[in-house]
């Protein structure tokens, strides 16, 4: 339907070309006039334009969907621009990051808009070196990962660091094993699940805490929200930006300072379940989440490649938007409606990502 006006114009010009009245042709030389040449040129240009638009409309851009709150919002925004501004189809491919990594390398996923590079350091480095992946930079600056407990509990018990937790495991009892406390780990299938396992061992906390990994980000979000509303002690991993960290008061536990060499050991041990127990670990680096694309995207859809490369969100604004939307409860906007509202309300944030005609 979008191509119908162009096709009608092309047919009109073609008709003019095929049925030119004798008066516009030089009868002496039997040569086409300027109007004749212009008509033919327009027909060629319009036909080429149709082929280009048809090619784009038949090309599908596959975005990774890990069901993360911010990623769903970013995906909806990118999909709206790609479909309505760049005329490509968009397909969301739901997968955990471990599943998505192989799909990205094969090109079955074109882009992931939120990949924590430090958590996938070995895979990321190898993919870049093999020219299978292209890192398009941060999706937002200032993203963080950490271990948390409720702020009220930290204040009541004067807890500062992760090492203090070994003296308070009884307040976080595992209902299936009362001899230990419970640590809420990363989502099943996320690389941070293995990283947290290694860190717990290095800090000596695996002697005091069992771990459980929820099946989805929404499950973990519900666990933390319910614990805060009922004032129940809870201990585990989380990240930002997201609405949970904005809606409730949390205490981020102190850890040994980040070190490149120590982190390299952590990710190597996390990738190898049979690795020896580490004696040291460190905090996450707060390097933020990155946009990573299959390298063939640059030729498959160069406009999309350039748009995603420029795409970057203000973390403070995003936190505010997610916080406000979460407060709406039953009137909460879907990621798609939230993205459209963002595009309408904040053109200064995204107008530089695209050309003027796409805007």
């Amino acid at each position: 339907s979008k191509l119908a006006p162009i096709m009608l114009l092309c047919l009109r010009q073609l008709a003019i070309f095929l049925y030119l009245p004798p008066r516009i042709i030089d009868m002496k030389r039997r040569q086409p006039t300027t109007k004749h040449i212009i008509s033919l040129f327009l027909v060629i240009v319009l036909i080429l334009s149709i082929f280009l638009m048809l090619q784009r409309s038949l090309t599908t851009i596959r975005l990774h969907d890990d069901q993360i709150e911010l990623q769903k919002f970013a995906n909806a925004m990118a999909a709206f621009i790609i479909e309505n501004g760049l005329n490509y189809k968009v397909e969301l491919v739901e997968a955990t990051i471990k599943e998505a990594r192989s799909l990205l390398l094969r090109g079955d996923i074109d882009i992931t808009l939120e990949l924590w590079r430090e958590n996938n350091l070995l895979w990321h480095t190898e993919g870049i070196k093999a020219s299978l992946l292209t890192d398009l930079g941060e999706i937002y600056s200032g993203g963080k990962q950490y271990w948390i407990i409720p702020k009220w509990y930290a204040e009541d018990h004067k807890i500062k660091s992760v090492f203090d937790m070994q003296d308070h495991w009884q307040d976080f009892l595992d209902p299936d094993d009362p001899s230990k406390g419970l640590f809420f780990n990363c989502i099943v299938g996320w690389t941070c699940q293995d990283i947290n396992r290694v860190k717990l061992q290095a800090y000596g906390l695996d002697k005091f805490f069992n771990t459980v990994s929820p099946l989805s980000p929404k499950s973990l979000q519900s666990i933390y929200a319910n614990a805060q509303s009922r004032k129940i002690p809870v201990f585990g991993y989380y990240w930002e930006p997201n609405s949970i960290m904005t809606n409730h008061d949390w205490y981020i536990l102190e850890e040994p300072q980040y070190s490149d060499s120590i982190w390299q050991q952590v990710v190597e041990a996390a990738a190898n379940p049979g690795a020896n127990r580490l004696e040291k670990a460190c905090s996450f680096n707060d390097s933020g989440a990155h946009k990573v694309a299959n390298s063939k995207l640059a030729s498959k859809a160069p406009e999309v490649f350039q748009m995603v490369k420029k795409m970057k969100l203000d973390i403070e604004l995003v936190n505010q938007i997610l916080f406000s939307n979460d407060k709406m409860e039953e009137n909460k906007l879907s990621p798609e409606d939230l993205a459209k509202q963002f595009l309408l309300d904040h053109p200064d944030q995204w107008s530089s990502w695209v050309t003027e005609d796409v805007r």
Side-chain angles (χ1 to χ4, degrees):
S1 60
K2 292 180 181 179
L3 295 177
I6 297 177
M7 293 176 70
L8 287 171
L9 181 58
C10 184
L11 289 172
R12 178 177 178 275
Q13 292 301 131
L14 186 59
I16 292 171
F17 170 65
L18 292 175
Y19 301 105
L20 282 172
R23 71 175 183 276
I24 68 169
I25 297 180
D26 187 329
M27 300 303 290
K28 293 180 180 180
R29 297 185 179 181
R30 301 289 183 180
Q31 294 294 325
T33 65
T34 301
K35 289 183 179 180
H36 193 164
I37 295 171
I38 291 174
S39 295
L40 179 58
F41 175 76
L42 286 174
V43 169
I44 293 171
V45 168
L46 288 169
I47 289 174
L48 288 174
S49 298
I50 288 175
F51 280 131
L52 179 59
M53 293 184 72
L54 282 172
Q55 182 183 19
R56 285 189 182 184
S57 66
L58 294 174
T59 300
T60 299
I61 305 301
R62 297 176 179 86
L63 299 178
H64 171 221
D65 179 13
D66 207 356
Q67 294 294 297
I68 305 171
E69 186 178 25
L70 176 59
Q71 189 186 40
K72 290 166 74 172
F73 170 61
N75 277 348
M77 193 186 311
F80 188 86
I81 295 173
I82 292 169
E83 289 181 331
N84 295 282
L86 302 175
N87 300 313
Y88 289 92
K89 288 185 177 180
V90 173
E91 177 185 340
L92 295 179
V93 180
E94 190 172 328
T96 66
I97 190 57
K98 285 185 177 179
E99 295 167 336
R101 293 193 309 188
S102 59
L103 296 174
L104 270 164
L105 291 174
R106 293 202 305 264
D108 294 330
I109 288 178
D110 295 300
I111 314 163
T112 179
L113 291 178
E114 188 172 343
L115 178 131
W116 293 85
R117 185 175 63 178
E118 65 195 72
N119 295 358
N120 301 275
L121 188 61
L122 304 179
W123 170 84
H124 180 275
T125 302
E126 291 171 1
I128 297 292
K129 284 184 178 178
S131 298
L132 295 173
L133 301 174
T134 301
D135 192 315
L136 298 176
E138 292 181 340
I139 182 66
Y140 48 80
S141 57
K144 297 179 180 179
Q145 302 177 84
Y146 30 55
W147 291 1
I148 58 173
I149 58 175
K151 189 175 181 180
W152 64 265
Y153 186 88
E155 291 174 346
D156 289 351
H157 296 82
K158 296 180 172 57
I159 293 175
K160 296 293 183 184
S161 79
V162 291
F163 300 106
D164 295 332
M165 295 301 294
Q166 65 185 14
D167 299 324
H168 299 277
W169 62 268
Q170 297 94 334
D171 291 336
F172 302 85
L173 283 183
D174 181 348
D176 297 322
D177 179 9
S179 68
K180 286 188 178 184
L182 191 60
F183 175 87
F184 286 97
N185 201 347
C186 251
I187 312 305
V188 171
W190 289 13
T191 47
C192 47
Q193 181 183 13
D194 300 320
I195 288 170
N196 286 329
R197 170 182 56 80
V198 170
K199 290 176 66 170
L200 275 166
Q201 292 175 355
Y203 295 151
L205 291 177
D206 61 320
K207 300 173 185 176
F208 303 92
F209 291 89
N210 293 324
T211 63
V212 61
S213 293
L215 296 176
S216 70
K218 191 170 184 61
S219 297
L220 186 56
Q221 186 180 43
S222 298
I223 289 167
Y224 287 144
N226 290 335
Q228 284 280 31
S229 63
R230 298 168 63 188
K231 206 169 183 180
I232 298 173
V234 64
F235 172 37
Y237 163 90
Y238 219 59
W239 68 93
E240 66 174 273
N242 58 69
S243 57
I244 280 293
M245 292 303 296
T246 311
N247 282 340
H248 302 281
D249 290 329
W250 297 96
Y251 179 76
I252 298 171
L253 292 160
E254 296 175 1
E255 296 183 58
Q257 188 174 359
Y258 174 85
S259 159
D260 284 340
S261 59
I262 292 176
W263 189 257
Q264 183 73 23
Q265 295 175 39
V266 169
V267 294
E268 288 177 357
N272 180 11
N276 293 331
R277 184 189 188 97
L278 297 182
E279 296 182 0
K280 291 182 179 180
C282 64
S283 65
F284 292 92
N285 190 29
D286 294 346
S287 63
H290 282 233
K291 305 160 294 184
V292 178
N294 179 279
S295 294
K296 292 181 180 178
L297 180 65
S299 56
K300 174 182 177 180
E303 304 88 351
V304 176
F305 183 88
Q306 289 301 323
M307 188 277 286
V308 174
K309 187 176 181 179
K310 295 174 182 176
M311 186 178 181
K312 191 167 185 178
L313 302 172
D314 183 316
I315 193 170
E316 296 299 330
L317 178 59
V318 168
N319 265 329
Q320 179 185 339
I321 290 170
L322 295 178
F323 172 77
S324 300
N325 193 51
D326 194 60
K327 285 293 186 182
M328 293 176 70
E329 297 179 353
E330 65 270 10
N331 296 320
K332 187 184 296 187
L333 295 177
S334 68
E336 292 74 21
D337 289 337
L338 197 62
K340 290 177 186 177
Q341 195 64 50
F342 178 88
L343 293 171
L344 286 169
D345 293 345
H346 303 283
D348 58 306
Q349 292 288 315
W350 62 269
S351 59
S352 62
W353 304 348
V354 294
T355 61
E356 186 176 354
D357 61 322
V358 174
R359 285 197 293 274

